[in-house]
Amino acid sequence: MLPDQVYKRRPNHNNTPESITLIIANFIVFAAATQLFVTCNKISTPFWVIVGALAVYNFFNVRKYREDYGKGQIIAYVLSLVIMVIFFFVMRSRC
């Protein structure tokens, strides 16, 4: 059996930083939207709606947790955005 202090030390198991959660959510939503709404010849309107909603979500999430974003987290966030753009072009050119 585990002592009671183990559960008191990690309440609700919320130890994942918000910046990492945001990056993971971005990749999941962007990959799903790219697979569903982007073809070789056409980018459909729902894709742009999803990307716009993701941008608004990112803006408010970064604004809400501004104190959690240090230099390392900002570099990781910007790098993840660059990787998503590269991912978009790779997935679109796979035809």
Side-chain angles (χ1 to χ4, degrees), residues 3-77:
D4 290 335
Q5 291 82 12
V6 171
Y7 297 109
K8 291 179 183 176
R9 187 175 32 168
R10 294 182 63 195
N12 298 328
H13 301 281
N14 293 337
N15 291 338
T16 304
E18 290 297 326
S19 60
I20 301 300
T21 306
L22 180 65
I23 290 171
I24 292 170
N26 284 343
F27 272 106
I28 291 171
V29 171
F30 191 78
T34 303
Q35 288 290 323
L36 293 173
F37 300 113
V38 176
T39 63
C40 295
N41 301 328
K42 183 181 177 193
I43 302 172
S44 55
T45 304
F47 175 78
W48 296 115
V49 171
I50 290 170
V51 169
L54 192 62
V56 170
Y57 174 73
N58 281 314
F59 173 75
F60 284 113
N61 196 326
V62 169
R63 189 172 170 194
K64 181 178 179 182
Y65 297 107
R66 185 177 298 169
E67 66 276 355
D68 292 342
Y69 285 89
K71 186 176 181 180
Q73 287 85 4
I74 291 173
I75 291 171
Y77 178 72

